[in-house]
């Protein structure tokens, strides 16, 4: 499972939502061998007064927070971060300097999905990549 929260300036996100979603999901699929149908993205558009950051990040400043089941290798997580920077730059036009990424892993026992504890589910994809 990967839940993605994308935060940024409201106007910038509004014009780039589809491209960002596609770039992020492409990176997740490529780096984590993740199924195409498992896209879970939430966009949080912020007004300038609600989004304080260093000026050198500019209006493109975008924060990507990904919650994952634990179990991915460090190599897979590093590949995911590299893929995200590359795809967001190439497909969306946001410079890597203006993107910050955090990955947060939690045990499947800490997730509730479709009325069950995730550790009791048959996921249909591998987590140990």
């Amino acid at each position: 499972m990967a839940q993605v929260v994308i935060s940024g300036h409201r106007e910038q996100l509004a014009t780039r939502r589809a491209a960002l979603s596609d770039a992020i999901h492409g990176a997740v699929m490529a780096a984590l061998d993740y199924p195409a149908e498992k896209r879970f993205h939430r966009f949080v558009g912020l007004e300038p007064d609600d989004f304080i950051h260093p000026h050198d990040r500019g209006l493109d400043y975008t924060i990507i927070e990904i919650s994952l089941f634990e179990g991915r290798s460090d190599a897979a997580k590093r590949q995911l971060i590299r893929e995200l920077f590359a795809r967001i730059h190439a497909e969306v036009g946001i410079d890597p300097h203006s993107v910050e990424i955090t990955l947060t892993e939690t045990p499947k026992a800490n997730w509730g999905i479709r009325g069950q504890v995730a550790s009791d589910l048959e996921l249909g994809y591998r987590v140990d990549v």
Side-chain angles (χ1 to χ4, degrees), residues 90-112:
E91 299 172 25
V92 187
I94 299 175
D95 188 83
H97 179 75
S98 295
V99 176
E100 290 191 20
I101 301 161
T102 57
L103 306 179
T104 304
E105 294 182 289
T106 55
K108 288 189 267 183
N110 291 5
W111 291 64

Side-chain angles (χ1 to χ4, degrees), residues 40-89:
F40 300 97
H41 296 174
R42 288 171 288 166
F43 286 84
V44 180
L46 300 163
E47 297 298 331
D49 289 345
D50 297 323
F51 196 30
I52 299 167
H53 55 78
H55 292 289
D56 69 331
R57 299 315 195 291
L59 292 175
D60 284 345
Y61 184 51
T62 304
I63 301 170
I64 300 167
E65 301 169 273
I66 303 176
S67 298
L68 306 161
F69 291 150
E70 69 181 356
R72 274 72 177 204
S73 67
D74 284 349
K77 292 180 282 188
R78 292 171 63 85
Q79 180 62 28
L80 174 57
I81 290 170
R82 285 191 298 269
E83 287 276 343
L84 286 164
F85 283 130
R87 288 172 186 255
I88 290 168
H89 188 242

